[in-house]
Amino acid sequence: MTDKAENLAAQNPAAQNSVKEKLIQRYSAAERINHWIVAVCFVLLAISGLAFFYPAFFWLTGVFGTPELARIVHPFVGVVMFVAFARQFFRYWHHNLLNREDIRWMVAVKEVMKGNEVGDIGRYNGGQKGMFWVMVLCMAALLGSGVIAWRPYFAASFPIPVIRIALLVHATSAVVLISSIIVHVYAALWVQGTIRAMVEGVVTHGWARKHHPRWYRESTGKKV
């Protein structure tokens, strides 16, 4: 595939069917499984959490069978999500350290939204790195506050004022995380080829060269 054909394939899904794709592995099977475990846990936690937080959503507890069962399952699913995300943290933290190119990307985010990539981006861009660290902070806050409020195991060890503060921190962190994940999912759908990376584990050369040129060079040894 020529460079021109790869660029065409990156921008036009129809063109991808007319040329033989050259693919780069972006995520291994283990990485994808890890990601989807976190994603499924997040959906279950968001559903049950919103049901507890706001009466109008209480009907969502029906997903778990009964409200009582939802309250029992919620914290255990939270622990599973935290453990799975901890694995992601130790796997990706060094890829998510901000640098000058990421700042440049963030400043020019309006251009990026127009489809014009900015900066010599590595494995992740400034937005993805920001999302990563928001998740790290929210997960830590949710775990700490969740343990304090977890009845009947730990809550009895803390005074009521501390539990109230923990519940406030828990709710605030959950709202921030849910809002961030909505943006994360929208961005993944908006940038063609991104969902494929987490489903099949591969991206085209054209996609990698357009959105992550430095990572493309590192992965293929080719110059952009």
Side-chain angles (χ1 to χ4, degrees), residues 139-171:
M139 290 295 292
L142 287 167
L143 178 71
S145 59
V147 167
I148 292 174
W150 192 349
R151 297 178 183 276
Y153 303 105
F154 306 106
S157 301
F158 300 92
I160 295 299
V162 172
I163 295 175
R164 288 173 176 169
I165 294 173
L167 290 172
L168 179 60
V169 170
H170 201 78

Side-chain angles (χ1 to χ4, degrees), residues 1 3 6 22 205 209 213 216-224:
M1 185 189 299
D3 288 346
E6 287 179 358
K22 294 177 65 177
H205 278 229
R209 186 169 56 248
Y216 171 77
R217 296 196 305 272
E218 294 169 350
S219 300
T220 64
K222 297 181 180 180
K223 295 182 178 180
V224 176

